[in-house]
Amino acid sequence: AVASSEESEAAPVSGATPDFCGEDAAALQPQGIVGQGPNGEPAASPDDVALTDEEAAQVRAGNFTVGLVFQFMNDWSKAQIQGLTDTFDEYGVKIISTTDANFKVDRQIADIENTIQQKPSGIITIPVDDVATAPAYAKVSEAGIKLVFMDNAAKGLTYPDQYQSVISADSQGNGQIAAAKLSCYIPEGGTIGVIDFGITFFVTNERTKGVKDWFVANRPDVTIKEAAFTDPDKAGDVAANFLTANPDVQGVFAVWDGPAQGVISALRAEGKNIPVTTIDLGDQAATELAGAEYLQGLGAQRPYDQGVAEALALMNAFIGKTPPAWIGVPSLAVIQKNVLEAYQEVYKREAPKETVAACEAAAPACG
């Protein structure tokens, strides 16, 4: 069974700060942004793209337009689009198109080229594949359109000539939060599993690196075993096969919340009860964490705030300012105690009824 927080506090992990195993989410929080941007850039803050009143007036007078080229519009990306929409509305910038490639490279290339034909002032986008899509993204600057990336930059493009900024979550910091919490449930050492995304992508690489680096630095008594999926819909099958092949695993980190649900389903099917940590506070993850049966903590990205920073970075470029090459949006530590407050912070809306009900059933542990 998963140890309670009281049991974890009584047996601090070797080499780690005992506070990591308490109920204070602040103790899990990295100090500042961890890691660097996709091309080794130092982190800048979202505060670095704030507009003065005079600059805001310039934007409002500019009649600027934007195209959004996304992938996989789940709750997380919809929250990001809401942050973009609210910010652009505030400054009088019009969104003229939004597309969803749903991880399909050919489809995204077509989306980029179609968006260019609409002649927006700027494009905000996340590359499905940072190599295959690069030639299409190169056409954006050739057309005189400002380009801001979310999470990752297409390979071979130069800053600030061909793109103006990359805005990303603090994925390595999120990974460290998840690792620190998972560590609390294996105080005597042992083996953990890492279920990773088998496709090279900056943000997922960073969060997994954050997990591994934390355990190497703080828990030399813990061995890491890994498995990878390439199709997100198959993550549960990969997790099930991994858990069957590795019955000694005492905890699992899954690279984001969707695969974490696959891990949890596999554990339930096998009748196992071991702790799971992840990244991203999706609706199902929030409800699972509220009940704390399997999911014990996570490092949450702030998609709404990331959307705000992306919009501001692009508007900087519109008025001739050069935004930082890489902006990191700070991570948020989430445990059972602060899950409702954290959900409000991440999505700028109330938590789902299912999450609230799970919190009420778990009271007073859940807040």
Side-chain angles (χ1 to χ4, degrees):
V2 174
S4 69
S5 58
E6 290 79 13
E7 291 170 334
S8 297
E9 283 186 301
V13 300
S14 61
T17 306
D19 283 349
F20 277 129
C21 300
E23 294 184 346
D24 184 4
L28 293 163
Q29 192 69 50
Q31 298 301 308
I33 302 297
V34 181
Q36 299 176 319
N39 296 307
E41 306 94 335
S45 164
D47 294 339
D48 294 332
V49 288
L51 297 173
T52 66
D53 290 343
E54 182 179 347
E55 291 166 346
Q58 284 183 262
V59 173
R60 291 189 178 100
N63 296 315
F64 297 112
T65 58
V66 178
L68 306 180
V69 181
F70 270 66
Q71 66 178 26
F72 197 48
M73 288 189 205
N74 55 9
D75 287 342
W76 187 90
S77 57
K78 288 176 182 176
Q80 190 170 163
I81 290 172
Q82 191 64 55
L84 286 162
T85 301
D86 290 350
T87 308
F88 283 135
D89 283 350
E90 178 183 352
Y91 291 94
V93 176
K94 185 178 180 181
I95 298 173
I96 60 173
S97 68
T98 303
T99 61
D100 176 13
N102 198 20
F103 292 107
K104 306 298 184 184
V105 175
D106 290 345
R107 184 169 161 186
Q108 185 169 72
I109 290 171
D111 288 344
I112 298 163
E113 294 177 346
N114 288 337
T115 304
I116 291 171
Q117 295 304 311
Q118 296 179 60
K119 300 181 179 180
S121 310
I123 291 175
I124 296 178
T125 180
I126 178 171
V128 172
D129 181 298
D130 56 12
V131 175
T133 59
Y137 283 121
K139 296 177 183 178
V140 175
S141 62
E142 292 171 6
I145 299 168
K146 301 297 183 183
L147 177 62
V148 166
F149 287 116
M150 62 186 77
D151 287 342
N152 199 12
K155 293 287 190 290
L157 271 64
T158 58
Y159 163 86
D161 300 320
Q162 292 178 291
Y163 69 94
Q164 280 61 61
S165 190
V166 179
I167 290 82
S168 178
D170 179 19
S171 287
Q172 193 171 136
N174 287 333
Q176 292 197 9
I177 290 170
K181 193 59 185 175
L182 183 59
S183 173
C184 299
Y185 295 90
I186 45 173
E188 305 301 324
T191 301
I192 64 165
V194 171
I195 309 297
D196 199 4
F197 195 30
I199 296 175
T200 299
F201 192 68
F202 171 70
V203 290
T204 53
N205 293 348
E206 283 288 286
R207 61 188 60 163
T208 303
K209 177 175 168 53
V211 171
K212 292 178 181 178
D213 286 354
W214 193 94
F215 274 103
V216 168
N218 295 282
R219 295 299 304 271
D221 58 333
V222 172
T223 299
I224 298 174
K225 292 185 177 181
E226 299 183 64
F229 61 89
T230 55
D231 180 349
D233 293 333
K234 301 295 184 183
D237 294 337
V238 170
N241 293 335
F242 174 80
L243 292 166
T244 299
N246 298 279
D248 59 327
V249 165
Q250 296 164 269
V252 176
F253 167 78
V255 71
W256 73 77
D257 60 330
Q261 292 302 137
V263 172
I264 290 168
S265 294
L267 288 169
R268 285 191 172 122
E270 293 198 10
K272 290 185 177 180
N273 192 357
I274 62 175
V276 176
T277 61
T278 188
I279 302 295
D280 290 344
L281 191 65
D283 286 5
Q284 282 187 292
T287 302
E288 290 282 357
L289 185 52
E293 181 185 3
Y294 290 95
L295 197 57
Q296 297 301 319
L298 54 83
Q301 302 182 81
R302 290 179 163 100
Y304 185 96
D305 292 340
Q306 189 171 336
V308 172
E310 289 158 3
L312 288 168
L314 187 59
M315 289 188 289
N316 273 247
F318 285 163
I319 60 173
K321 292 180 66 179
T322 303
W326 184 63
I327 297 170
V329 179
S331 52
L332 177 65
V334 188
I335 55 177
Q336 185 185 29
K337 184 177 180 180
N338 75 332
V339 65
L340 297 184
E341 176 187 348
Y343 192 95
Q344 175 70 34
E345 171 66 20
V346 167
Y347 292 104
K348 312 303 181 188
R349 64 174 186 263
E350 297 298 324
K353 293 179 180 179
E354 294 81 4
T355 304
V356 174
C359 257
E360 290 173 348
C366 185

